[in-house]
Amino acid sequence: MASKTAAADTPIVVDDEAPGPPISVPDSGEHSEGGKLKMIVGLVKKALGVKDIAAMRLSLPASLLEPVPNLEYWGYLDRPDVFASINDSVDPFVRMLSVCRFVFTKDIKFIHGRVVKPYNSVLGEHFRCHWDVPSATYDEAGSLICHAHTTDPSAPSSGVTSIETDTASVRSSKSTGRSSILASGAKSPSTAATTPQDGPIDVAADMSNLSLGSGTPAGDERIRVVYVTEQVSHHPPISSFYASAPSRHVEISGVDQISAKVSGTTLRVSPGTFNKGLFVNITGGFGEGESYHITHPVASVNGILRGSFYVTVGDSCIITQTGNKHGQNYRAILEYKEEGWISKARYLVEGVIHTYHQGETAHEKWLKVKDVPKGKVVAVLEGCWRGVIKWKKTGRPDPAASAESSPAPSVSHLSVAAPNPALGSGLRSAMSSKVNLAADDWQVLLDLTTLRQVPKVVRPIEKQEAYESQKLWEKVTSHLLGKRFSEATNEKVAIEQRQRDIAAERKRTGEVFVPALFKEDISDGQARLTEHGSKAVQEELKAPASYPLEGLPVSSS
């Protein structure tokens, strides 16, 4: 480990064990937006030619950071209610549509929020939380209706509205620090406004149109969704995560690792070697035994030199269903259209859903929409991944749907099977109507303009363990929120130095780090809980609730 001092007497710790030459960005002492922009430009210049920025362990000045730990910020459940709805339908095709909805909503923070840089995670750091969300319902056409953290689409809009919920969490009881989604509507003291827009953002107006759940049918139970994650590797930086909605028999896990490289004035982010995508399993109910493997597309952070960051997405996301009881599975290709160099970003996506039989391999070479033979396509999708996405069935028969619901060679209207009486009242209501699946009839899959990130519910800091994210970074967060940037940087450097000292001692004694919540083997890209990790999940499931919970006893203490 080497310690350096910047011109402004701000210590910069560089990790000598990181691959490649170290990069240091000293604090300029200017904490205005112009000063931060100069530091960002300096970082971009130094990062040019670096093969993988994400593999570099660099201590940035705290003034460039968002006051939130990385494990708390990063995740794929921005809409836990959409995740919980995956197993709502008896029909496997509709379940595939539900997984597509989940994919488009899992990163809503980058649509309506800002692109920010959270703290780097340290080895062994972990984070856990839960959500209690109302059940989604469906209209007569089968379109999903969410009942919390939505905006009224009929209300006036000022340009691209932004409720900045990207760092929002809710403490489960009184505690210090950030406490509410409402607090995140104000501009962060450490980061410039970074949402591309045609006009000024009227946060107050958008907040007035934000529904926190008042549209939920009275007396409906809430669905508890729990989430745990842990930093399991330092070089390269890797975290494992697991989430579950037990009352809906849906779980997801994966290994997070990214590779990042500066290309021109754009930061291009792609999955790292150990990141094999997301793994969704259905453990009961209608889709029991099904699994969905979801690959990651490639993202780009643009507008770096202007200090107005925004995300574009390219390449394809592929969703592969396995375990369909009828032997024929579905596979979706969601192709994000590349943006032009000069024209304004359009954020377009198109996709297909096609069938394949268990044991076949020809489909593995189909990576773009155009690769799929027309005879295999059962539905198409198109739209804007920041706006409205629509889908329709093609005219060809759908053998999988026919086998599931009737012997007829094609499906014009699918009658959903009688709902399971053991399910919550919200789901029973959702399953009681017919879903129109008429061929050549466009349906709205999702309107992303109306959805906002659902804040996490986190235990009070005084009840957290030493290596839980909020407690570990509590002093840094407090200093950043108070705009005490030098103190924040010093505290951040002290945390990083302690971790390097621990790593040096571990190396000297030959001790091998063992994760607490997750098993060590991540070679297949799937995260598996240890006994301690399972205990953490159970504790989150049993945490006090303000609402009746579907499938769980009510605890208020």
Side-chain angles (χ1 to χ4, degrees):
M1 189 284 304
S3 180
K4 299 183 179 181
T5 304
D9 294 327
T10 301
I12 299 296
V13 177
V14 179
D15 193 342
D16 291 335
E17 294 184 358
I23 303 174
S24 62
V25 181
D27 193 332
S28 67
E30 298 180 54
H31 298 142
S32 65
E33 300 308 329
K36 283 185 272 188
L37 180 58
K38 290 180 182 178
M39 286 188 281
I40 291 171
V41 172
L43 173 63
V44 171
K45 289 180 178 179
K46 291 187 176 185
L48 288 172
V50 175
K51 185 176 180 180
D52 186 2
I53 298 174
M56 307 298 298
R57 298 303 289 178
L58 162 70
S59 184
L60 292 174
S63 58
L64 291 181
L65 302 178
E66 184 74 3
V68 62
N70 180 65
L71 295 182
E72 178 181 354
Y73 172 76
W74 199 262
Y76 302 102
L77 271 77
D78 287 357
R79 292 299 311 196
D81 49 352
V82 178
F83 166 72
S85 74
I86 286 174
N87 196 25
D88 280 3
S89 176
V90 67
D91 183 75
F93 171 77
V94 179
R95 290 195 293 273
M96 173 57 85
L97 286 178
S98 297
V99 176
C100 290
R101 287 193 188 98
F102 162 69
V103 168
F104 287 123
T105 60
K106 64 183 177 63
D107 294 309
I108 274 184
K109 66 173 77 66
F110 298 122
I111 296 177
H112 299 299
R114 297 166 291 113
V115 180
V116 300
K117 175 64 177 75
Y119 318 139
N120 286 336
S121 303
V122 302
L123 188 63
E125 179 184 341
H126 51 99
F127 175 77
R128 51 190 261 202
C129 68
H130 67 266
W131 300 263
D132 294 334
V133 291
S135 174
T137 55
Y138 303 81
D139 63 19
E140 292 182 357
S143 296
L144 188 77
I145 303 172
C146 295
H147 295 281
H149 295 87
T150 63
T151 57
D152 182 358
S154 64
S157 173
S158 57
V160 179
T161 56
S162 175
I163 302 296
E164 298 183 9
T165 63
D166 48 350
T167 63
S169 294
V170 174
R171 298 275 166 76
S172 56
S173 65
K174 289 184 179 179
S175 185
T176 59
R178 292 167 292 110
S179 60
S180 168
I181 182 176
L182 302 179
S184 66
K187 184 177 175 182
S188 163
S190 63
T191 309
T194 52
T195 302
Q197 58 194 59
D198 297 319
I201 297 175
D202 188 347
V203 173
D206 208 15
M207 286 299 296
S208 68
N209 297 326
L210 181 66
S211 166
L212 301 181
S214 59
T216 308
D220 270 10
E221 297 173 316
R222 298 293 177 105
I223 304 166
R224 174 154 292 186
V225 180
V226 299
Y227 176 75
V228 295
T229 182
E230 180 181 14
Q231 192 75 9
V232 298
S233 171
H234 184 58
H235 290 309
I238 300 173
S239 61
S240 294
F241 67 90
Y242 170 86
S244 175
S247 68
R248 296 300 175 93
H249 309 291
V250 183
E251 62 182 19
I252 185 173
S253 66
V255 173
D256 253 342
Q257 179 199 7
I258 63 170
S259 175
K261 183 176 182 179
V262 173
S263 176
T265 59
T266 298
L267 179 66
R268 189 171 176 86
V269 181
S270 57
T273 304
F274 290 94
N275 188 338
K276 311 295 186 184
L278 309 177
F279 297 85
V280 175
N281 295 315
I282 300 180
T283 60
F286 296 124
E288 183 175 7
E290 283 181 0
S291 296
Y292 296 82
H293 177 218
I294 305 166
T295 66
H296 293 293
V298 174
S300 296
V301 179
N302 307 271
I304 294 176
L305 297 184
R306 298 193 305 271
S308 180
F309 311 136
Y310 64 97
V311 173
T312 57
V313 183
D315 210 350
S316 298
C317 165
I318 297 176
I319 308 169
T320 305
Q321 177 198 70
T322 56
N324 189 326
K325 298 179 180 68
H326 297 278
Q328 179 161 265
N329 295 289
Y330 291 99
R331 184 171 180 265
I333 300 176
L334 308 177
E335 185 177 342
Y336 295 85
K337 310 310 291 185
E338 295 288 346
E339 305 290 353
W341 285 92
I342 301 176
S343 60
K344 185 177 180 180
R346 300 174 65 190
Y347 312 109
L348 298 180
V349 64
E350 65 174 346
V352 296
I353 299 176
H354 68 84
T355 57
Y356 77 97
H357 285 90
Q358 202 76 25
E360 292 180 344
T361 59
H363 62 277
E364 295 175 1
K365 298 180 180 179
W366 304 340
L367 305 179
K368 300 287 185 181
V369 168
K370 66 180 181 180
D371 298 336
V372 183
K374 291 184 178 180
K376 290 283 188 178
V377 176
V378 296
V380 295
L381 306 91
E382 65 177 42
C384 171
W385 57 265
R386 292 172 61 109
V388 177
I389 300 171
K390 296 183 178 182
W391 71 276
K392 70 175 180 178
K393 296 205 84 174
T394 61
R396 71 170 290 265
D398 181 353
S402 299
E404 183 83 15
S405 57
S406 80
S410 63
V411 177
S412 59
H413 290 79
L414 172 66
S415 294
V416 177
N420 186 338
L423 297 173
S425 57
L427 181 55
R428 293 199 301 271
S429 173
M431 300 306 299
S432 63
S433 61
K434 289 186 177 182
V435 179
N436 184 355
L437 298 180
D440 299 321
D441 185 9
W442 284 101
Q443 308 282 355
V444 174
L445 179 74
L446 205 59
D447 184 353
L448 290 148
T449 65
T450 66
L451 301 178
R452 296 297 183 265
Q453 183 182 6
V454 180
K456 306 171 182 71
V457 179
V458 186
R459 293 169 15 261
I461 282 185
E462 57 269 20
K463 293 186 178 181
Q464 295 182 21
E465 299 175 6
Y467 265 62
E468 286 195 58
S469 294
Q470 288 188 351
K471 188 163 189 173
L472 179 66
W473 297 97
E474 180 182 14
K475 291 182 180 179
V476 177
T477 300
S478 176
H479 286 314
L480 283 179
L481 292 174
K483 298 185 178 182
R484 298 182 296 274
F485 298 116
S486 294
E487 292 90 336
T489 297
N490 290 335
E491 185 64 37
K492 175 178 173 292
V493 167
I495 292 173
E496 294 169 340
Q497 183 61 57
R498 284 197 298 271
Q499 301 313 307
R500 289 172 173 84
D501 292 343
I502 292 171
E505 178 63 16
R506 190 180 292 122
K507 183 177 181 179
R508 186 186 70 81
T509 60
E511 179 186 354
V512 177
F513 170 79
V514 178
L517 304 183
F518 293 89
K519 296 182 179 179
E520 294 178 78
D521 186 6
I522 57 173
S523 57
D524 62 356
Q526 299 194 55
R528 296 171 178 86
L529 293 168
T530 61
E531 183 178 348
H532 187 55
S534 297
K535 181 181 177 182
V537 169
Q538 291 302 314
E539 288 176 353
E540 284 297 318
L541 286 173
K542 296 175 182 177
S546 302
Y547 306 91
L549 296 178
E550 181 181 277
L552 293 171
V554 177
S555 173
S556 58
S557 59

